[in-house]
Amino acid sequence: MLNPIVSLSAGTPPTEGGVTGTYRIKLNTPAPVGGLTINFNTTGSTATLNNDYNFALGANLTAVTANSFTIAEGATTATLNLVAHADTLIDPDETVLVNLTAGTDYQLATGTFSPKADYAAGSGSYSISTGDFNNDGHLDLAVTNPNSNTVSVLMGNATGFDTKIDYATGLSPVSVIRCQCCCVMPLILVLMLTSIMQQVQTRFLLAWAILIAMVNWI
């Protein structure tokens, strides 16, 4: 009998003192009698265990340590929780990488991709940002559309993404930025960025016109 194949993917991004982060765990067959312990490491992380975050039990986990978690007997899915510690420091670049490692009672997934799924956005889609904008546990998308002067927001669901909702911006939005502190901030930042670009362009053209006028006068 072949051992279960285990895979892990990122779920909800954590916020300090707020939203609990999650990692989604899947098995291709139910965990055996007594449960299944999976080994991992956090090599490549910039955040520090215990100082910046801790792992915690999620759905269908019976135990978790600094380098392993145990999936409950009979389960094919589970959730590993990550609790980010609240402090007074701004740490925009902290990351936690969970890397599954080999074990004797399971196999690691090979990392292949499912067939592509196409989702419509606006015209000339240029920049994309992801995040759980409405805190429902599913990743959402925000896409800038310079040709249609809009930002398309696609809310995530259990199987993919809902149909886009378009929000008007200024002329030719080129970037969208997600902020951890507020779910509506991506749209606000796009509007601000577009407005600033328009002001810079207007001031540049005005300065150029003045320079030409001065040259002609001389």
Side-chain angles (χ1 to χ4, degrees), residues 115-207:
K116 69 166 184 165
D118 294 330
Y119 295 92
S123 178
S125 301
Y126 189 82
S127 174
I128 187 171
S129 181
T130 63
D132 187 4
F133 302 152
N134 58 351
N135 295 326
D136 65 351
H138 302 296
L139 286 179
D140 310 310
L141 302 178
V143 185
T144 59
N145 309 305
N147 292 352
S148 55
N149 302 323
T150 60
V151 171
S152 297
V153 176
L154 293 81
M155 306 307 292
N157 55 50
T159 59
F161 297 94
D162 296 336
T163 302
K164 70 181 176 87
I165 300 175
D166 289 335
Y167 295 91
T169 66
L171 293 176
S172 301
V174 295
S175 185
V176 58
I177 302 171
R178 173 181 176 267
C179 178
Q180 291 278 5
C181 59
C182 180
C183 63
V184 300
M185 188 62 77
L187 300 180
I188 295 173
L189 289 181
V190 165
L191 294 174
M192 289 174 62
L193 177 60
T194 305
S195 176
I196 291 171
M197 290 177 64
Q198 290 174 353
Q199 292 178 30
V200 170
Q201 182 182 31
T202 300
R203 290 172 183 173
F204 173 78
L205 291 175
L206 178 60

Side-chain angles (χ1 to χ4, degrees), residues 50-67:
N50 297 325
N51 290 335
D52 299 317
Y53 70 94
N54 282 104
F55 291 116
L57 294 175
N60 292 331
L61 290 187
T62 59
V64 61
T65 70
N67 51 27

Side-chain angles (χ1 to χ4, degrees), residues 29-126:
T29 58
V33 175
L36 180 64
T37 298
I38 307 295
N39 303 315
F40 69 89
N41 63 47
T42 55
T43 301
S45 300
T46 59
T48 304
L49 181 66
N50 297 325
N51 290 335
D52 299 317
Y53 70 94
N54 282 104
F55 291 116
L57 294 175
N60 292 331
L61 290 187
T62 59
V64 61
T65 70
N67 51 27
S68 70
F69 53 79
T70 301
I71 303 172
E73 175 182 332
T76 57
T77 61
T79 302
L80 174 64
N81 288 339
L82 184 148
V83 180
H85 296 175
D87 55 36
T88 58
L89 300 177
I90 298 176
D91 305 307
D93 298 322
E94 282 189 339
T95 58
V96 179
L97 302 181
V98 176
N99 313 295
L100 299 183
T101 57
T104 58
D105 300 323
Y106 60 89
Q107 303 176 66
L108 299 179
T110 57
T112 56
F113 292 95
S114 301
K116 69 166 184 165
D118 294 330
Y119 295 92
S123 178
S125 301
Y126 189 82

